[in-house]
Amino acid sequence: MSEDIARMGQCKGPNRLLDHLRRAWGPFLFMAPATILVLIFFLAPVIIIIGISLTNMSSATGFKNWAWIGLQNYGKIFRNPKSGTIFRNTVFYVLVTLSLFNVGMALVVALLTTHVPRRGGFLFRSLWLLPRITPSVVYIMMWNYIAADAPYGILNRHLLTPLGVKPTNWVPAQPWAFVILTNGFIGASFGMIIFSSAIESIPRDYMIAALVDGCSLWQRIRYVILPMIRWPLLFVTTYQTLSLLTSFEYILLLTDGQFNTEVWSLWAYHRALNNYWGNFQWGFGAALATILVIVGIVMAVVYMRYFQFTELVQEPRIEAL
Amino acid sequence: MIVKLEHVTKKFGDVVAVDDINLETRDGEFVALLGPSGCGKTTTLLMIAGIYRPTEGVIRFGGRVVNRVPPKDRNIGMVFQSYALYPHMTVLENLTFPMRLKKVPRTEMLQRAQQVADMMGIGHLLDRKPGQLSGGQQQRVALGRALVKQPDVLLFDEPLSNLDARLRLSMRAEIKRLQLDLGITSIYVTHDQVEAMTMAERIAVIRDGQLQAFCPPNELYDQPRTLFVASFIGNPPMNFLEVEVVADGDAFKARCPEIEIPVSAERGRAAAGRGKVVMGVRPEDIYLTRDGIAGEVYVVEPLGRDDLVDVRVGDVHFKTLVDPGLGLKIGDQVRFGIRPERVQFFDPRTEHSLLWN
């Protein structure tokens, strides 16, 4: 009898180990494709960029004659007289675009389109998505046409001259206004979609309860809707901060950094990949990009801590009686 | 507060959700709106709450026409099936929220909240969030939030449907008692006939947007005015069979091909000579007897206190409640009688009662 048990135990040992391995491998295999993609396309570039930022690689050295230069690129950034201005530009651009458009106007549009008849709201939101699916170059050309100097330009010819405003070349006159408008109108559509779906998924009973409890429209937004879409609000804020920090295509197309609208990511692009003198400073550009990555990570961590993301995504409690 | 609906109709596009309903509560009355889902009872409630505006007709609160009065100016309290407690507010904040909006002074606000919390037995939960409460506790808070405004009218939208059976029973009694003590006119929407029967002073039965009956529970049960009311009220439900009522001297008989059932003259007279009519018999009005209609036990469903027995006579089935002590089994031959003074008759075409109109 005891012998039998002993033999069974022996048999079971290796089997159980195999079982265990098989079970442990299952999840890894399922996650493997995504993990590999993330490693190759997200993690590897970051490491490569950090590596390049420690070299003097440029179109002068080519890919062969470069050398490791430690943190010299970073020293150059901190000593560069332009970096202070560009940093302030970036903060200004991100803050204003984020608060006025990517979150602010997104919220306003979402609230408006969820409080009008459904079909109208849907149509309006669809229209608002058009710029996002328009090629960037076409979109900025449209803005150029809107803002062009007299005798051209929709603003000058059709909107402001009849009001008696003196025609001017609007982009150089108000560069930041146009940089923020062009980015904001597109950026707002992301938050708009997320907010309006969040608002529409608030159970109807809450809306009725709020009305019965005596809320005005504004009070219902303030005390019921906003607290209930806190999670999408924080998500959009975080996501769009990071996205704005690294976005530069519309600025590139609209002003190319002229009129003091150079932001950090555009600076990196100019230095590393496109400049008038033709010396592409890949090492220096990579250092600029690395700083952006670090700022982004710090911001993400701060948001997560400050907004207590873990608490927000807490699992729902099972209804007990 | 007397709530009165005069010819109230609500249409959503082409769909008629509520069709010409007339209804008047008494002051402090507990009225149930009863009907299957989608019958228009919640739409009716939401019109009384002021969420929907009637397409036609007039709603009055104590004589005042409120059709265009927004919900916040109607002084109503409402309790929902989903509780609808604001998840980001504590119990205290939930309770005081309506008063905060009305700018009630802080000390009075806290005092009233405390008073309601004590009444509802949730005084110890004031600093918790709804997510930390059980369903029953949440429903108490929801009820407290409705009461704290000292409303003129209380509206309930299936408030007990999310609770488990035992809790539902105790909350049922509690709400009934509370309503009686406070004397606030209450309108209670439910699809559960037991809830409506046990709690309400009068029940409005609604079907396809139309008011089928509006009367006290026992009248609804004993004198159903339509076939729908007869079939909807009562558990187990009424038996129906198509018969022809004929006079046999002073006696009346209901006949269908294989059975002949004696009925009381008073009831039989109303149905006699009308050709085919629908006869309704409640299960408890069927009793086993030595000399009666012969049938065979088709199904036995033990309910504990009684057995629900399905007796087959030819193609006709009768459900009846039987003492489980008899130990009836499938296939047993039985004989049964029907209380002649308890049968109901309906016109098969109009579905109206032949007795109670």
Side-chain angles (χ1 to χ4, degrees):
Chain A
M1 184 73 176
S2 59
E3 231 172 288
D4 278 359
I5 290 171
R7 213 181 303 142
M8 271 166 68
Q10 269 172 2
C11 278
K12 246 184 176 171
N15 268 348
R16 212 185 266 169
L17 194 71
L18 261 174
D19 258 17
H20 195 76
L21 268 177
R22 231 176 272 143
R23 237 171 265 158
W25 267 104
F28 283 115
L29 280 175
F30 276 110
M31 277 159 55
T35 311
I36 290 167
L37 285 177
V38 167
L39 290 179
I40 293 177
F41 290 104
F42 291 93
L43 191 62
V46 173
I47 291 167
I48 292 170
I49 286 286
I50 293 173
I52 295 176
S53 78
L54 303 174
T55 71
N56 65 353
M57 200 186 286
S58 70
S59 47
T61 67
F63 293 122
K64 289 197 176 129
N65 300 318
W66 55 270
W68 295 104
I69 56 167
L71 295 173
Q72 279 182 35
N73 281 327
Y74 294 93
K76 262 163 56 187
I77 291 171
F78 286 115
R79 283 194 302 277
N80 194 309
K82 278 166 74 182
S83 49
T85 321
I86 290 175
F87 183 78
R88 278 193 296 278
N89 282 351
T90 310
V91 171
F92 173 77
Y93 160 71
V94 171
L95 272 183
V96 176
T97 315
L98 185 74
S99 53
L100 287 189
F101 285 89
N102 291 18
V103 175
M105 185 173 274
L107 192 60
V108 171
V109 173
L111 284 168
L112 284 176
T113 56
T114 47
H115 282 79
V116 296
R118 236 182 124 77
R119 212 173 288 171
F122 183 76
L123 183 75
F124 187 79
R125 289 200 298 269
S126 312
L127 286 177
W128 199 288
L129 272 179
L130 281 179
R132 189 176 278 277
I133 54 173
T134 309
S136 321
V137 176
V138 176
Y139 174 71
I140 293 298
M141 275 175 71
M142 273 165 38
W143 275 98
N144 277 331
Y145 185 68
I146 290 171
D149 197 2
Y152 310 106
I154 295 172
L155 265 181
N156 280 329
R157 274 181 30 169
H158 302 296
L159 296 175
L160 296 174
T161 315
L163 296 175
V165 178
K166 215 174 106 243
T168 177
N169 194 359
W170 283 105
V171 173
Q174 295 290 338
W176 279 117
F178 282 88
V179 163
I180 287 164
L181 281 174
T182 49
N183 278 283
F185 273 109
I186 288 185
S189 59
F190 178 80
M192 169 191 82
I193 297 282
I194 294 195
F195 295 153
S196 39
S197 72
I199 292 170
E200 287 199 340
S201 64
I202 296 176
R204 198 181 63 145
D205 281 357
Y206 287 114
M207 299 297 196
I208 296 174
L211 285 177
V212 169
D213 281 343
C215 284
S216 63
L217 183 64
W218 167 245
Q219 285 169 326
R220 187 166 67 161
I221 292 171
R222 165 75 185 77
Y223 295 116
V224 181
I225 296 178
L226 284 186
M228 292 185 114
I229 61 165
R230 209 176 117 203
W231 155 245
L233 262 174
L234 303 185
F235 165 71
V236 169
T237 306
T238 308
Y239 185 88
Q240 294 286 36
T241 307
L242 303 184
S243 150
L244 281 169
L245 268 179
T246 53
S247 73
F248 63 87
E249 59 185 292
Y250 298 111
I251 310 179
L252 171 76
L253 290 163
L254 190 73
T255 67
D256 197 16
Q258 295 175 72
F259 325 118
N260 193 24
T261 54
E262 184 99 327
V263 294
W264 203 273
S265 52
L266 187 57
W267 192 22
Y269 169 77
H270 277 144
R271 280 313 196 74
L273 301 169
N274 189 335
N275 64 54
Y276 182 76
W277 296 276
N279 183 20
F280 302 154
Q281 297 160 294
W282 297 315
F284 188 74
L288 289 173
T290 304
I291 289 180
L292 220 47
V293 170
I294 292 166
V295 170
I297 291 172
V298 169
M299 291 298 286
V301 171
V302 167
Y303 277 130
M304 284 169 103
R305 279 285 157 81
Y306 181 70
F307 293 143
Q308 297 165 328
F309 268 55
T310 43
E311 193 187 304
L312 283 173
V313 293
Q314 206 177 40
E315 279 184 52
R317 293 163 61 93
I318 291 170
E319 177 86 348
L321 287 155
Chain B
M1 179 69 72
I2 295 171
V3 177
K4 191 174 181 187
L5 278 66
E6 296 170 2
H7 300 289
V8 168
T9 296
K10 179 67 188 175
K11 290 178 189 159
F12 295 103
D14 293 337
V15 183
V16 181
V18 173
D19 191 1
D20 193 29
I21 283 189
N22 288 288
L23 196 149
E24 184 176 353
T25 72
R26 289 186 286 263
D27 189 22
E29 192 181 18
F30 195 125
V31 171
L33 304 182
L34 175 66
S37 58
C39 72
K41 56 194 191 299
T42 298
T43 307
T44 308
L45 192 79
L46 291 180
M47 281 194 285
I48 297 169
I51 306 295
Y52 294 147
R53 200 173 288 168
T55 315
E56 287 159 37
V58 174
I59 297 175
R60 289 174 195 273
F61 279 19
R64 180 173 74 129
V65 176
V66 293
N67 282 35
R68 296 186 159 272
V69 177
K72 69 187 177 78
D73 299 329
R74 293 190 180 202
N75 198 22
I76 47 177
M78 196 157 170
V79 184
F80 301 85
Q81 178 178 354
S82 63
Y83 323 127
L85 296 173
Y86 308 113
H88 51 281
M89 299 183 196
T90 63
V91 169
L92 181 67
E93 285 165 340
N94 265 289
L95 287 177
T96 54
F97 185 60
M99 293 187 283
R100 238 167 82 205
L101 296 172
K102 274 191 190 165
K103 305 228 158 49
V104 174
R106 197 178 154 72
T107 43
E108 187 194 338
M109 192 162 83
L110 292 176
Q111 190 196 336
R112 266 162 70 176
Q114 190 64 50
Q115 196 185 342
V116 164
D118 290 341
M119 184 165 72
M120 300 306 306
I122 48 172
H124 58 297
L125 304 171
L126 287 179
D127 54 348
R128 299 234 198 131
K129 293 264 176 80
Q132 298 165 305
L133 304 179
S134 72
Q137 290 168 330
Q138 287 190 53
Q139 196 51 288
R140 276 165 205 275
V141 177
L143 199 53
R145 182 179 63 178
L147 289 173
V148 83
K149 303 157 73 177
Q150 302 171 339
D152 293 327
V153 181
L154 268 175
L155 305 176
F156 297 88
D157 189 5
E158 310 233 3
L160 304 182
S161 299
N162 276 10
L163 302 178
D164 81 326
R166 269 183 65 183
L167 199 58
R168 199 179 308 164
L169 230 64
S170 63
M171 281 298 280
R172 206 164 77 190
E174 226 170 293
I175 291 179
K176 185 175 181 174
R177 182 71 220 190
L178 198 68
Q179 196 274 340
L180 210 64
D181 290 345
L182 297 173
I184 303 171
T185 308
S186 298
I187 299 172
Y188 189 106
V189 161
T190 179
H191 66 268
D192 181 347
Q193 45 134 339
V194 180
E195 231 168 79
M197 297 285 279
T198 50
M199 296 173 81
E201 287 169 63
R202 280 193 293 172
I203 300 173
V205 181
I206 299 176
R207 181 206 193 187
D208 297 337
Q210 290 173 332
L211 188 65
Q212 297 262 321
F214 183 40
C215 51
N218 54 352
E219 197 182 319
L220 207 59
Y221 193 78
D222 294 332
Q223 304 174 12
R225 281 161 193 274
T226 66
L227 194 62
F228 174 75
V229 172
S231 64
F232 195 70
I233 303 290
N235 186 23
M238 197 182 260
N239 297 290
F240 293 104
L241 61 158
E242 210 166 59
V243 298
E244 205 169 324
V245 180
V246 291
D248 181 8
D250 276 347
F252 285 85
K253 286 195 167 83
R255 261 194 212 138
C256 70
E258 297 167 39
I259 319 164
E260 200 161 86
I261 303 162
V263 297
S264 74
E266 181 200 347
R267 299 208 167 182
R269 197 167 291 126
R274 284 176 165 270
K276 289 231 183 295
V277 296
V278 175
M279 184 168 91
V281 184
R282 293 227 178 261
E284 63 268 30
D285 295 330
I286 298 175
Y287 56 95
L288 298 184
T289 168
R290 262 179 228 290
D291 48 341
I293 305 155
E296 183 191 304
V297 174
Y298 187 68
V299 177
V300 179
E301 297 170 67
L303 299 177
R305 198 181 54 190
D306 303 298
D307 279 354
L308 180 60
V309 177
D310 185 320
V311 181
R312 191 169 66 106
V313 184
D315 289 336
V316 185
H317 290 256
F318 292 89
K319 294 219 173 200
T320 176
L321 292 168
V322 172
D323 181 359
L326 292 177
L328 285 182
K329 289 186 297 295
I330 292 175
D332 285 354
Q333 299 298 319
V334 292
R335 282 179 176 274
F336 64 92
I338 291 171
R339 291 194 174 81
E341 75 290 355
R342 301 276 298 166
V343 296
Q344 307 283 341
F345 291 109
F346 303 92
D347 183 319
R349 208 171 37 79
T350 64
E351 301 197 348
H352 284 293
S353 172
L354 296 170
L355 306 175
W356 315 113
N357 283 308

